[in-house]
């Protein structure tokens, strides 16, 4: 079974430029998460989707970040414009509430963003 | 507020046993997870506790005390490949909170 797929794996941009990350969750997983992880820190939740509905976006900086999950499958996270402080690894994860493990999350490999 | 505390870094010897502690204060509790994360890689699931007690899975065990807001991850027969960060995560009311992780260094 394929895992969570993310692209690109690495992205280097100049500040004030836009950037987008893409995530394809595990087939059948209705819950999708976007996290940001800074070096030496744990993942910080940005947004969580249940199917196509964003049920928790309280930590998403809405002035510059946006996300969508059309048709409740793939998702895109966008930053516009990027700032130096946005440099981090952006992780996508998915889970199924039916797996009996209380929402065990499966993580993608992440996108390492560097803003110059 | 939400708070998850774990030691920043630990060092242990190959073949030994190490215990990584996690204390938490969160809004609601619906389970505690431990994840392993090697440098530059994504976190991978290790264990899940929702009831008090010990869950054993091979060389890894995880313990939970809900009344004390406390968990630990026990790694036995340490191997060099166990060098990684170990993340404690708590599921509150439909929200996940991750600790900053404990970097474990296993030395020969």
């Amino acid at each position: 079974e394929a895992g969570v797929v993310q692209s690109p794996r690495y992205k280097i941009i100049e500040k004030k430029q836009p950037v987008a990350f893409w995530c394809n969750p595990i087939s059948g997983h209705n819950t999708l998460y976007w996290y940001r992880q800074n070096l030496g820190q744990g993942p910080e939740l940005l947004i969580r989707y249940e199917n196509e509905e964003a049920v928790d976006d309280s930590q998403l900086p809405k002035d510059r970040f946006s996300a969508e999950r059309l048709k409740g499958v793939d998702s895109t996270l966008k930053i516009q414009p990027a700032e130096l402080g946005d440099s981090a690894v952006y992780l996508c994860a998915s889970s199924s509430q039916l797996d009996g493990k209380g929402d065990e999350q499966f993580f993608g490999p992440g996108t390492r963003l560097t803003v110059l | 507020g939400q708070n998850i505390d774990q030691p920043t870094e630990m060092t242990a010897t190959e073949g030994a046993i190490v215990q990584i502690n996690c204390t938490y204060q969160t809004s609601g509790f619906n389970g505690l997870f431990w994840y392993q994360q090697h440098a530059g890689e994504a976190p991978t699931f290790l264990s899940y506790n929702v009831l008090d007690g010990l869950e054993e899975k091979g060389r890894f065990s995880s313990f939970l005390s809900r009344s004390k807001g406390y968990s630990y991850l026990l790694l036995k027969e340490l191997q060099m490949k166990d060098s990684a960060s170990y993340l404690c995560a708590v599921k509150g009311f439909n929200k996940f909170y991750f600790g900053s992780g404990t970097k474990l260094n296993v030395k020969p």
Side-chain angles (χ1 to χ4, degrees):
Chain A
E1 179 182 305
V4 176
V5 179
Q6 289 188 248
S7 69
R9 291 294 311 277
Y10 304 91
K11 190 73 177 179
I12 301 174
I13 60 172
E14 294 188 346
K15 62 180 180 182
K16 301 184 181 179
Q17 294 301 305
V19 65
F21 315 125
W22 175 80
C23 173
N24 178 242
I26 291 174
S27 177
H29 281 193
N30 60 311
T31 307
L32 184 146
Y33 312 77
W34 281 104
Y35 289 92
R36 176 170 57 191
Q37 186 174 26
N38 291 304
L39 191 64
Q41 299 293 315
E44 172 195 4
L45 181 69
L46 293 174
I47 190 168
R48 177 171 67 94
Y49 283 93
E50 295 289 345
N51 300 305
E52 63 269 19
E53 182 183 359
V55 296
D56 183 359
D57 63 356
S58 56
Q59 298 289 92
L60 190 72
K62 298 181 183 64
D63 57 336
R64 297 183 299 107
F65 286 63
S66 64
E68 61 181 9
R69 190 184 185 195
L70 300 177
K71 301 180 181 178
V73 181
D74 294 2
S75 178
T76 303
L77 178 69
K78 298 178 182 177
I79 308 175
Q80 183 172 11
E83 296 178 352
L84 295 176
D86 296 331
S87 295
V89 175
Y90 291 81
L91 294 165
C92 178
S94 69
S95 69
S96 168
Q97 303 217 8
L98 303 178
D99 66 0
K101 293 181 183 175
D103 274 345
E104 172 191 346
Q105 295 178 55
F106 295 81
F107 285 84
T111 297
R112 182 176 296 276
L113 174 68
T114 302
V115 182
L116 303 176
Chain B
Q2 326 303 328
N3 200 39
I4 298 181
D5 285 320
Q6 19 178 164
T8 303
E9 192 165 358
M10 300 179 71
T11 299
T13 304
E14 192 176 15
I17 299 173
V18 70
Q19 177 175 312
I20 302 174
N21 296 324
C22 171
T23 57
Y24 64 89
Q25 286 181 299
T26 57
S27 297
F29 179 84
N30 286 296
L32 186 142
F33 298 77
W34 283 96
Y35 284 83
Q36 179 189 62
Q37 187 174 27
H38 285 99
E41 298 182 12
T44 55
F45 171 82
L46 288 178
S47 68
Y48 166 64
N49 295 70
V50 66
L51 298 175
D52 290 353
L54 189 68
E55 293 280 343
E56 297 186 78
K57 189 189 292 186
R59 294 189 299 115
F60 293 6
S61 303
S62 57
F63 171 83
L64 174 67
S65 169
R66 289 171 297 171
S67 62
K68 295 181 179 177
Y70 167 70
S71 172
Y72 67 72
L73 179 70
L74 193 71
L75 293 78
K76 304 175 188 174
E77 301 170 15
L78 279 174
Q79 301 176 10
M80 298 300 293
K81 67 178 182 180
D82 297 329
S83 291
S85 286
Y86 291 85
L87 300 165
C88 173
V90 174
K91 182 179 179 183
F93 287 133
N94 289 319
K95 211 176 185 74
F96 276 90
Y97 305 98
F98 277 85
S100 294
T102 298
K103 184 179 179 184
L104 176 65
N105 302 302
V106 180
K107 60 181 184 180

